[in-house]
Amino acid sequence: MRARLAMRGMRSTRDSRPSAAEQHTSWSGRLARRVAVLMLVNVMVDTVIGAPLLVLPDMLDHFGTDQAAWLNASAMLAGAMWAPLLGRSADLYGTRRVLVTTLLMCCAGALVCLVAPNIWVFITGRLLQGAAVAAMFLTVALVRQLCAPGIAMTAVGVVTSGSAILGAVSPFFFAALAEEFGFRSVFVVSAVLAAVAAACVRRLIPESPTRAGGRLDIAGAVLLGGGLAAVLSYVSLGSQYGWFAAGPLALLIGGGAVLARWAVPARRIPEPVIDIRNVSRPLALTLLVVVLSTGAYQSTLQLLSLIADVAPADGLGYGLPAQGTLGPLFAAPSVGIMAGGALAGWLATRIGPAPTLAGGVAIGTVATIGMYLSISHFYAALVFAGLLGFAAGAIVTSGFNMATSVAPVASQGVVTGLVQVMLAVGSVLMNMVGTAVLTSTTVVVGGEETNSATGVHTCIAIAAVAFVAAMLAATILTRLRQPLTVLHNKEPPGL
């Protein structure tokens, strides 16, 4: 009896692989429409994560608080909590169904933020909106399940990076909108986009034919997500309130205990939310490359606003002329992300995702070193900022492509969720390191504390070191003899 049940479970996973007739085998008008819908989903994600930062001072004034870290990081931290649960749910119940549910949660979260009477209700809305972080990796899982190997990687590149082009104009749009209607208008746009995206996905995207066998380990997902969120909260808040302050320290100890509580049973139960026993060496190396390189380029790109806010005449050893230069400086990375993601997807179908990932890391290393040398020269900074954005697009696209190419088809939701968690972890950790460095190296100019050239140079140097470490891991990855399963349409033995 047990043997028959086991064989039935195996068939439910293997027979669920999409047949060639069910997959897109070439570009067509229908595929273009579906890719456009999934790009719209990622545009909504950008409004959830990035747009509130543009109106952060207004939100702080409205709620009468200085808790910028909570208002800023709550959605990203919630995304780390949601990712394991939603990724596994997608494998079990259907990726489109879970994506639509996620978008409706984002819409509900935006509406809660819109009517929030106090900061705690507002943060509750942001926690619901954090499900948007899962929406990005679910779009990748859908592409990989609905497209044939020959075009899937290119489509992933377009879906993950295509929305970045709006990054060049969205700050101006949201700034003007907030100026006219107040900061709440940002959440009106997010709610509308989420509702429209949910309707379009429900109407135009077919359900993935892939289903994994088994059940949902809800307790494990809650423990894993909650532990990750608590530890990342410590990293995010520690630099502001003190690494050994009671609150942040309680988050670290509690999060570590919760993760330990998850890890022990996860090695024993048959169907954990993430089977850490079967994580393959290629997948582990891919996640390592993603966490290192993501943190490196995110921390460097976020220095742009700091560098641009200082004039060369201030004599600090860094700074850029502000008049007429800020727009191009912030638009260059967005254009680079779109170009890098699309090109990386196209190249991956020809040379494989591992060499493409290594190439993106190499370009990021060069761009970071270039930023180190050009923080007082506008045109050089413009070129290297665009190149860094190009590397970011290539790394994100190649990270998703590489991870999904070495994982079973029925585990695409879990694997893309792992990559998304690494993106969040890398960003938070490196930003924490950068904040600590800048805080400890300030200088006093005109009676006010400001960041020093030593701090800025040190932050860029740390990012360069992280890129070099990622390059070493990526080189090892390219030398593995692991077959490119996505190109040969074979089922790998495990994660």
Side-chain angles (χ1 to χ4, degrees):
M1 180 65 178
R2 290 182 180 177
R4 285 198 300 272
L5 289 175
M7 290 299 294
R8 186 179 303 168
M10 291 174 64
R11 283 195 298 271
S12 69
T13 298
R14 289 181 180 175
D15 293 345
S16 64
R17 172 183 276 280
S19 66
E22 296 171 323
Q23 292 182 316
H24 291 282
T25 57
S26 62
W27 284 95
S28 63
R30 176 180 293 181
L31 177 57
R33 288 191 295 272
R34 290 173 176 174
V35 167
V37 168
L38 297 179
M39 285 176 59
L40 174 63
V41 172
N42 288 328
V43 168
M44 185 278 302
V45 175
D46 291 341
T47 67
V48 169
I49 302 301
L53 298 180
L54 301 173
V55 294
L56 185 58
D58 294 335
M59 291 192 295
L60 293 174
D61 290 341
H62 176 81
F63 292 114
T65 180
D66 60 354
Q67 302 296 316
W70 277 108
L71 297 182
N72 181 13
S74 52
M76 182 64 75
L77 296 175
M81 178 183 68
W82 286 113
L85 179 63
L86 294 175
R88 178 61 174 163
S89 297
D91 290 335
L92 291 175
Y93 306 121
T95 308
R96 185 192 68 173
R97 178 183 300 175
V98 175
L99 177 57
V100 171
T101 302
T102 299
L103 292 170
L104 293 178
M105 289 172 58
C106 295
C107 180
L111 294 177
V112 171
C113 292
L114 180 65
V115 301
N118 57 60
I119 186 173
W120 299 113
V121 176
F122 180 85
I123 289 175
T124 300
R126 291 293 283 163
L127 294 178
L128 282 173
Q129 277 195 298
V133 175
M136 179 176 178
F137 72 77
L138 291 175
T139 62
V140 174
L142 269 175
V143 170
R144 295 305 302 266
Q145 292 164 348
L146 298 177
C147 293
I151 62 170
M153 289 185 177
T154 303
V156 167
V158 175
V159 167
T160 56
S161 61
S163 62
I165 193 64
L166 294 178
V169 297
S170 60
F172 303 101
F173 169 74
F174 282 112
L177 197 66
E179 180 70 23
E180 183 69 22
F181 301 104
F183 77 89
R184 295 185 188 275
S185 59
V186 169
F187 298 98
V188 174
V189 174
S190 290
V192 171
L193 278 177
V196 171
C200 290
V201 170
R202 182 68 180 82
R203 178 71 178 84
L204 299 175
I205 304 295
E207 182 58 273
S208 66
T210 303
R211 292 290 189 281
R215 62 181 182 83
L216 180 61
D217 177 21
I218 297 179
V222 171
L223 288 173
L224 176 58
L228 284 172
V231 172
L232 290 178
S233 295
Y234 166 78
V235 173
S236 177
L237 301 176
S239 60
Q240 181 176 355
Y241 298 106
W243 302 113
F244 298 102
L249 199 59
L251 286 171
L252 176 63
I253 295 173
V258 169
L259 288 177
R261 178 66 182 83
W262 164 78
V264 174
R267 294 179 177 273
R268 297 196 302 261
I269 63 176
E271 296 168 352
V273 64
I274 295 176
D275 194 348
I276 56 179
R277 297 162 296 187
N278 292 327
V279 173
S280 65
R281 190 181 180 192
L283 178 58
L285 283 170
T286 300
L287 296 177
L288 178 60
V289 172
V290 168
V291 74
L292 289 171
S293 56
T294 298
Y297 73 67
Q298 285 282 11
S299 61
T300 306
L301 282 175
Q302 291 188 14
L303 280 175
L304 286 176
S305 59
L306 184 153
I307 296 171
D309 194 44
V310 174
D314 293 339
L316 291 174
Y318 69 94
L320 300 171
Q323 186 173 1
T325 63
L326 294 183
L329 186 64
F330 287 106
S334 297
V335 176
I337 288 172
M338 182 175 181
L343 182 60
W346 179 80
L347 280 177
T349 63
R350 288 153 178 80
I351 64 175
T356 308
L357 179 59
V361 175
I363 293 172
T365 306
V366 172
T368 302
I369 295 173
M371 289 296 295
Y372 183 90
L373 301 173
S374 62
I375 58 174
S376 297
H377 305 281
F378 169 70
Y379 291 107
L382 185 66
V383 170
F384 288 115
L387 198 61
L388 194 61
F390 185 94
I395 290 166
V396 171
T397 295
S398 300
F400 278 119
N401 278 332
M402 186 65 213
T404 52
S405 72
V406 297
V409 173
S411 299
Q412 298 294 295
V414 168
V415 171
T416 53
L418 276 174
V419 174
Q420 190 68 54
V421 169
M422 292 301 103
L423 292 174
V425 169
S427 299
V428 173
L429 286 178
M430 288 297 289
N431 284 335
M432 175 270 292
V433 172
T435 300
V437 169
L438 292 173
T439 302
S440 62
T441 56
T442 56
V443 294
V444 177
V445 177
E448 295 184 359
E449 283 193 354
T450 187
N451 296 305
S452 66
T454 299
V456 173
H457 280 117
T458 302
C459 287
I460 298 176
I462 291 173
V465 171
F467 262 127
V468 170
M471 190 68 230
L472 293 175
T475 301
I476 297 173
L477 185 62
T478 60
R479 293 181 177 179
L480 293 179
R481 296 297 182 179
Q482 175 76 22
L484 294 177
T485 55
V486 70
L487 297 179
H488 299 290
N489 206 27
K490 297 178 181 177
E491 183 79 6
L495 296 181

